[in-house]
Amino acid sequence: MTNSIINKTFSLKSYNFPTCLVRHQGFEFFVHPPSEEQLYKEDTTFKIVKGLANVEDSISFESVNYPGYYLRHKGFVCYLEQNSGDDLFRNDASFLQKPGLADDDWISFESVNFPTFYLCHENFRLKIKEYEYNDSYRANATFDFQEPSYYVVSLQPHRFKACLVRHQCFEFFIHPTSNEQLYKEDSSFKIVTGLAGVEDGISFESVNYPGYYLRHKGFVCYLEQNSGDDLFRKDATFKKRGGLADDEYDSFESVNFPGYYLCNENWRLKLKQFEDKDLYRSYATFKVKEPASIYRTYSD
């Protein structure tokens, strides 16, 4: 399981407060009630990386809106701190995934440098606490990954790895990479809960045009402002599927045109019906990548 989540982005849901997520606030960690505020969505989203301590199968939690800052314990309380690079920090910021103490379909996180101490909430503060033989402790120390309601990505085509999906003049293209700031902004998107409200649906919101989304129209993809009507919401909502050409990538199926996928055709991004051909599979497959260092530009 560890390899399948590395470099992917998640939120952490509490077992006994399932509507609450682990959040950093004031550089401390809490189990926090849900909110639609943008800052809440950012503060509850983490990139899972290989454990900084370099212990086999360990993981670390890197903040999405404070890149280079990690969840670490200090005095048995959890804080968000910048990676200092020393051994103590790396150990404090590394955890092992274990079957959930309250439910083995969930997950518990054991400290690397304090074996039998687990991430655990106490009075809604996130701490590490030594294992206790009671149901309350087990529930407080059990969590699960869930798809975050916010994260920023770029989309790299499977067949053209030196390119990214970019909007330009409100149309979408497969465009060679560039170090220009405008290119970085045009090729970065917030993945948000699908506007159509369907289970597991996602939508792509522009980073530099907030409120504008990738939507298909006449089977061609455009960047348009959310009009709020049902057709727009469906045109702008997709299901993330395993990559048609490579299962380490992703493909994106239309909600209102099942069997139609986001696909490159002559460098334009379009919606095309599935074809049982290798070329189609490659053109309809993308890697969800971390964008080029622009998180703080739009989350401050």
Side-chain angles (χ1 to χ4, degrees):
M1 178 180 178
T2 299
N3 287 338
S4 68
I5 63 170
I6 293 300
N7 294 327
K8 296 184 178 178
T9 313
F10 295 95
S11 294
L12 269 187
K13 176 172 66 174
S14 166
Y15 176 77
N16 50 349
F17 294 94
T19 64
C20 296
L21 299 177
V22 171
R23 176 190 189 178
H24 68 80
Q25 193 171 34
F27 298 97
E28 301 178 9
F29 276 91
F30 303 87
V31 172
H32 199 289
S35 169
E36 288 302 314
E37 292 182 359
Q38 181 65 24
L39 184 59
Y40 175 87
K41 295 177 182 179
E42 298 175 16
D43 290 348
T44 57
T45 301
F46 304 92
K47 181 180 176 183
I48 309 304
V49 300
K50 290 184 178 180
L52 300 181
N54 205 28
V55 172
E56 186 176 6
D57 293 331
S58 67
I59 63 170
S60 295
F61 299 88
E62 183 180 8
S63 169
V64 159
N65 55 344
Y66 286 86
Y69 284 66
Y70 295 83
L71 186 161
R72 64 89 56 99
H73 65 80
K74 187 166 63 174
F76 303 104
V77 178
C78 292
Y79 298 93
L80 185 70
E81 293 191 2
Q82 190 170 20
N83 182 4
S84 62
D86 61 76
D87 286 344
L88 179 61
F89 183 95
R90 289 194 292 261
N91 288 330
D92 287 350
S94 298
F95 301 87
L96 295 168
Q97 294 181 86
K98 303 291 184 179
L101 297 173
D103 183 333
D104 58 13
D105 287 332
W106 291 57
I107 307 167
S108 293
F109 299 95
E110 185 180 14
S111 168
V112 158
N113 54 346
F114 283 83
T116 74
F117 282 68
Y118 291 83
L119 287 181
C120 180
H121 65 84
E122 183 179 60
N123 298 323
F124 295 97
R125 285 292 304 276
L126 192 67
K127 303 182 177 183
I128 63 165
K129 289 191 68 182
E130 191 169 17
Y131 180 78
E132 298 175 8
Y133 291 89
N134 61 71
D135 290 342
S136 178
Y137 175 91
R138 294 185 185 100
N140 289 346
T142 300
F143 303 88
D144 200 8
F145 292 119
Q146 73 170 37
E147 197 80 4
S149 53
Y150 166 83
Y151 51 107
V152 179
V153 302
S154 292
L155 294 179
Q156 179 191 65
H158 175 261
R159 194 172 183 84
F160 300 102
K161 294 180 175 59
C163 296
L164 295 175
V165 171
R166 177 191 188 178
H167 68 79
Q168 196 170 29
C169 299
F170 300 97
E171 300 179 11
F172 277 90
F173 301 90
I174 308 302
H175 197 289
T177 53
S178 167
N179 284 324
E180 293 181 359
Q181 181 64 21
L182 182 59
Y183 176 89
K184 295 177 183 179
E185 297 174 10
D186 289 349
S187 60
S188 296
F189 306 92
K190 298 177 185 177
I191 292 188
V192 300
T193 303
L195 299 181
V198 299
E199 186 176 4
D200 296 330
I202 62 171
S203 295
F204 297 91
E205 183 181 7
S206 170
V207 159
N208 54 344
Y209 285 86
Y212 284 68
Y213 295 83
L214 186 162
R215 66 88 59 98
H216 64 82
K217 187 166 65 175
F219 302 103
V220 178
C221 292
Y222 298 93
L223 185 71
E224 292 191 3
Q225 190 170 19
N226 182 5
S227 64
D229 62 74
D230 286 344
L231 179 60
F232 183 96
R233 289 195 291 263
K234 291 176 181 176
D235 288 350
T237 302
F238 303 87
K239 292 285 190 82
K240 187 167 72 169
R241 306 299 192 191
L244 296 174
D246 184 333
D247 59 12
E248 292 186 358
Y249 286 62
D250 295 293
S251 295
F252 300 95
E253 184 180 11
S254 169
V255 159
N256 54 346
F257 283 85
Y260 284 68
Y261 292 82
L262 291 181
C263 184
N264 168 28
E265 184 179 62
N266 297 323
W267 307 101
R268 289 291 302 275
L269 190 67
K270 299 186 177 182
L271 192 69
K272 291 193 67 181
Q273 189 171 20
F274 176 76
E275 299 174 12
D276 192 13
K277 300 175 182 176
D278 288 344
L279 188 62
Y280 174 92
R281 292 190 184 93
S282 183
Y283 280 174
T285 300
F286 303 86
K287 180 180 283 293
V288 176
K289 293 190 60 177
E290 182 174 322
S293 302
I294 64 164
Y295 286 125
R296 298 303 300 158
T297 304
Y298 295 97
S299 61
D300 280 337

